Amino acid sequence: MGLNLRARARHRAYVWYWRARYWWMDSDEGTWARIGVQVLLSIFALDQMIRGTIGALAPQDPAEPVKAYVWVVQLIIAIVAAIAVYALTPKPETPQAKQQETPNVEDGAHVLEIDGDVWIEGEGEFVLQHKVVGKEPIKSGGKK
């Protein structure tokens, strides 16, 4: 009896998870809810930035020791990290022009007539037509 109850509870949790996921991801109400959450998080982040700025710019009590501006240290760390990431990013190599070779076909080989996409094994390759493309440069702009 206990196993059946656990299985039902697990199934019920699964069903409600997918209902919530459908509501959040695929319905219009879920889209509006996501926008609302995004707006609330943006307001919260803006509020924290304003509070931090006011706290940093507020006059300090002379009896209290001077506090370090933690946000300046964090800003310097972020700039150094961005520079390090940019410096360590691998540079992409410029693609080299490929030399195309015309495939060789045996004389007298029969042409297969196939409808649709299939995988042919055992017979080897058969090239019915070959055209070298990419010799002319692409022209930009419209009619002249």
Side-chain angles (χ1 to χ4, degrees), residues 80-135:
V80 170
I83 291 171
V85 167
Y86 180 73
L88 295 175
T89 303
K91 307 295 184 256
E93 296 179 8
T94 56
Q96 302 295 326
K98 292 172 52 177
Q99 296 294 332
Q100 293 185 344
E101 297 178 11
T102 305
N104 296 326
V105 180
E106 296 178 17
D107 288 334
H110 65 281
V111 178
L112 301 173
E113 293 184 17
I114 301 172
D115 294 327
D117 296 336
V118 295
W119 185 271
I120 302 173
E121 291 187 28
E123 292 290 326
E125 295 180 359
F126 179 83
V127 178
L128 181 61
Q129 181 180 4
H130 176 74
K131 178 180 178 183
V132 177
V133 293
K135 293 291 183 183

Side-chain angles (χ1 to χ4, degrees), residues 33-62:
R34 281 182 300 186
I35 291 171
V37 168
Q38 215 169 17
V39 167
L40 287 175
L41 289 176
S42 299
I43 290 172
F44 177 74
L46 183 65
D47 178 56
Q48 291 300 315
M49 288 172 47
I50 291 171
R51 286 178 189 233
T53 305
I54 290 173
L57 297 177
Q60 299 292 323
D61 187 17

